[in-house]
């Protein structure tokens, strides 16, 4: 049997289509999401409805964003779903989630078994809307979940860890083997819960500055900070900010990155 065909649909690689087929895994994910009728649930990449159908049992109305025209069309005529779904046939990377939240009149609860080829940029897109989001549950590559939850002084700790933890509380939920999907992906997967902070633990004046500093530091993660950040922070300045100039990017906590960002926002480098 061709394992790229699921429920009569030929899985499209370019859309990262790996459909969940394991009822136990599906029920565990839906129970972790805990959908409720008065919440503004939004699914990204509903596909053939593996999560959509059990979630719909709890709801009267919700929104799904599906890029694949054929799959979006199937959902609009699906006997159990058609009356409950608002189907947005669009690239989730271009959806304005703040506008959507405003239309619904509530912060969004976003979930999905994400297409792995765009999961990191898609999360960054969603991070820019955390003010309009109540929580997010995503199936991702396990390696990406490890990076999201990683703390300092570990290999997995990187820019994604710092930025995700700046915006959200990050909670791993469950691990999922390749056999739970058709076709099976080449990697292990895991579900993560991301809850935007109601009160920022380490507020920064300008998140773009935080983003630039973490990019500079982790792009040269083997170098010490005095080298990787040397063109924006002097050794004296790092010491004054209580950050060891001999440390490497992976030794610096989220709080310390936020401290660096706030100092730099107040002392922008002078243009030559
Ligand atoms: N939720 C289904 C399941 O668990 O079986 C499908 C998951 S599959 C990994 C990813 C889904 O996201 C596919 O339906 C795919 O067509 C859709 N998709 C891919 N890229 C997308 C994008 N940029 N925006 C919205 N949906 C996308």
């Amino acid at each position: 049997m061709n394992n790229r065909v699921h429920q009569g649909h030929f899985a499209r690689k370019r859309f990262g289509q790996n459909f969940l087929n394991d009822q136990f895994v599906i029920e565990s994910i839906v129970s972790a999401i805990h959908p409720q009728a008065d919440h503004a649930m939004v699914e990204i990449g509903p596909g053939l409805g593996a999560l959509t159908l059990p979630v719909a049992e709890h709801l009267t109305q919700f929104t799904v964003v599906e890029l694949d025209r054929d799959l979006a069309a199937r959902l609009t005529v699906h006997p159990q779903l058609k009356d409950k779904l608002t189907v947005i046939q669009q690239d989730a990377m271009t959806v304005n989630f703040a506008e959507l939240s405003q239309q619904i009149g509530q912060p969004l609860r976003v979930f999905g078994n994400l297409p792995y080829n765009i999961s990191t940029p898609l999360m960054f897109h969603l991070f820019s809307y955390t003010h309009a989001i109540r929580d997010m549950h995503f199936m991702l590559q396990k390696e990406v979940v490890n990076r999201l939850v990683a703390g300092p002084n570990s290999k997995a700790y990187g820019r994604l860890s710092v930025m995700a933890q700046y915006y959200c509380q990050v909670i791993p939920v469950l691990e999922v083997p390749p056999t739970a999907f058709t076709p099976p992906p080449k990697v292990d997967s895991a579900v993560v819960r991301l809850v935007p902070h109601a009160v920022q633990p380490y507020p920064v004046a300008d998140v773009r500055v935080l983003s630039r500093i973490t990019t500079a530091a982790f792009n040269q993660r083997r170098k010490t900070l005095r080298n990787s950040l040397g063109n924006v922070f002097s050794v004296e300045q790092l010491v004054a900010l209580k950050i060891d100039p001999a440390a490497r990017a992976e030794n610096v906590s989220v709080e310390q990155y936020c401290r660096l960002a706030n100092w730099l926002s107040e002392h922008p480098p002078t243009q030559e």
Side-chain angles (χ1 to χ4, degrees), residues 223-226 235 238 243-249 251:
K223 288 195 178 170
T224 60
L225 298 182
R226 74 152 58 91
V235 166
L238 289 171
I243 288 158
D244 180 1
R248 292 182 166 76
N251 310 123

Side-chain angles (χ1 to χ4, degrees), residues 6 9 12 14-21 26 43-52 65-68 71 88 90-93 112-118 122 139 181-182:
H6 190 53
H9 172 83
R12 294 185 165 111
R14 72 178 186 285
F15 290 154
Q17 291 178 351
N18 300 95
F19 301 104
L20 273 167
N21 61 26
I26 291 170
E43 180 175 7
I44 297 180
L48 292 159
L51 296 172
T52 327
V65 181
E66 174 57 64
L67 178 59
D68 186 317
L71 294 178
I88 304 178
Q90 193 177 326
D91 180 349
M93 288 288 294
N113 170 13
L114 295 189
Y116 292 169
N117 49 348
I118 60 152
L122 186 53
M139 172 89 76
F181 304 84
T182 306

